[in-house]
């Protein structure tokens, strides 16, 4: 039966890293970059793939996989066509949630924030670096940067009491705390 097949599947790898809530950095970008680097070093197939969720004007969510292109002081970059559904969503409601799931490490990061359209030079530079670039610029290409407002880092544990750290942007810098298993995130 499908149900039995699904239940019998292993979930997490035998060895999982440990996340000590007392030793996480004050700046969530530092932790994010460490985890992204760990995912790249783990050899997993597409460590830069993330699920990007946007909403339409009725509040209806839509998700798709995109590649993270860069991380800098402007935010977390992703790119796509200005004629796409996601571009229409972001033009009307410039908010998005990014979700990374790094399977070999049992790690998930959810990042929610405001999406800003970056300048034309950044967009065309990204277009030219794509593997399919044939020498022709694409005026419809756009890079956005997600400026994080809230991040939640989850390190899975075998006892399922996953360690979750929530960061919130404050007027000056960031606050963070551990979310207990039954606790509701903001
Ligand atoms: C692994 C993977 C990576 C992808 N990366 C991108 C990307 O970086 N940019 C992009 O526009 N579409 C990318 N796509 C396609 C998107 O998932 C999506 O189908 C497309 O952008 C249209 O989305 P929309 O109709 O919601 O705007 C990727 C798909 C996969 C499976």
């Amino acid at each position: 039966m499908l149900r039995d097949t699904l239940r019998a599947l292993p979930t997490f790898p035998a060895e999982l890293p440990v996340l000590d809530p007392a030793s996480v950095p004050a700046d969530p970008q530092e932790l994010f970059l460490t985890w992204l680097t760990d995912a790249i070093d783990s050899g997993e197939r597409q460590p830069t793939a993330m699920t990007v969720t946007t909403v339409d004007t009725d509040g209806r969510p839509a998700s798709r996989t995109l590649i993270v292109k860069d991380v800098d002081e402007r935010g977390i970059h992703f790119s796509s066509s200005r004629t796409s559904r996601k571009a229409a969503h972001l033009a009307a409601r410039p908010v998005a949630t990014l979700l990374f799931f790094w399977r070999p490490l049992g790690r998930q990061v959810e990042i929610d924030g405001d999406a800003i359209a970056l300048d034309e030079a950044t967009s065309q530079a990204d277009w030219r670096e794509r593997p399919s670039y044939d020498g022709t610029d694409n005026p419809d290409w756009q890079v956005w940067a997600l400026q994080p407002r809230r991040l939640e880092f989850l390190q899975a544990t075998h006892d399922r009491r996953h360690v979750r750290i929530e960061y919130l942007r404050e007027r000056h810098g960031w606050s963070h705390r551990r979310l207990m298993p039954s606790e509701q995130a903001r």
Side-chain angles (χ1 to χ4, degrees):
M1 265 170 64
L2 175 64
R3 190 169 179 280
D4 299 327
T5 307
L6 297 179
R7 283 181 179 239
L9 291 171
T11 47
F12 300 114
E15 299 274 327
L16 287 170
V18 173
L19 177 61
D20 174 9
S23 64
V24 297
D27 181 353
Q29 184 169 310
E30 194 182 320
L31 187 55
F32 176 69
L33 290 176
T34 301
W35 279 25
L36 180 60
T37 306
D38 288 349
I40 293 166
D41 293 347
S42 79
E44 91 159 84
R45 200 94 179 97
Q46 285 177 309
T48 56
M50 58 184 176
T51 303
V52 178
T53 301
T54 54
V55 282
D56 70 13
T57 46
D58 294 329
R60 223 167 250 288
S63 300
R64 75 289 289 160
T65 311
L66 297 181
I67 299 297
V68 60
K69 294 298 184 72
D70 202 1
V71 182
D72 65 13
E73 64 293 341
R74 293 174 292 179
I76 300 168
H77 300 199
F78 56 91
S79 55
S80 190
S81 171
R82 281 189 199 114
T83 62
S84 66
R85 175 182 62 158
K86 73 185 81 58
H89 288 186
L90 292 172
R93 299 187 69 171
V95 295
T97 298
L98 313 181
L99 189 77
F100 291 84
F101 175 32
W102 291 304
R103 289 166 179 75
L105 297 163
R107 286 174 171 172
Q108 172 184 269
V109 184
E110 181 194 14
I111 307 174
D112 135 43
D114 301 310
I116 54 160
L118 297 184
D119 57 278
E120 191 59 19
T122 304
S123 296
Q124 289 310 316
D126 177 74
W127 173 258
R128 288 188 208 113
E129 285 156 11
R130 282 164 46 97
S132 54
Y133 181 62
D134 64 358
T136 323
D137 281 351
N138 179 353
D140 286 332
W141 199 246
Q142 180 67 55
V143 177
W144 288 266
L146 186 95
Q147 302 184 322
R149 187 192 68 87
R150 176 185 175 274
L151 304 91
E152 183 180 320
F153 293 80
L154 179 150
Q155 174 63 65
T157 60
H158 287 293
D159 66 5
R160 301 293 189 275
R161 292 178 61 80
H162 307 319
V163 177
R164 295 187 297 150
I165 308 290
E166 178 186 62
Y167 286 81
L168 294 173
R169 183 184 280 286
E170 306 291 350
R171 207 194 296 229
H172 301 289
W174 294 90
S175 64
H176 68 265
R177 65 185 175 130
R178 180 179 183 174
L179 293 173
M180 296 323 280
S182 60
E183 197 172 354
Q184 194 173 356
R186 289 218 215 139

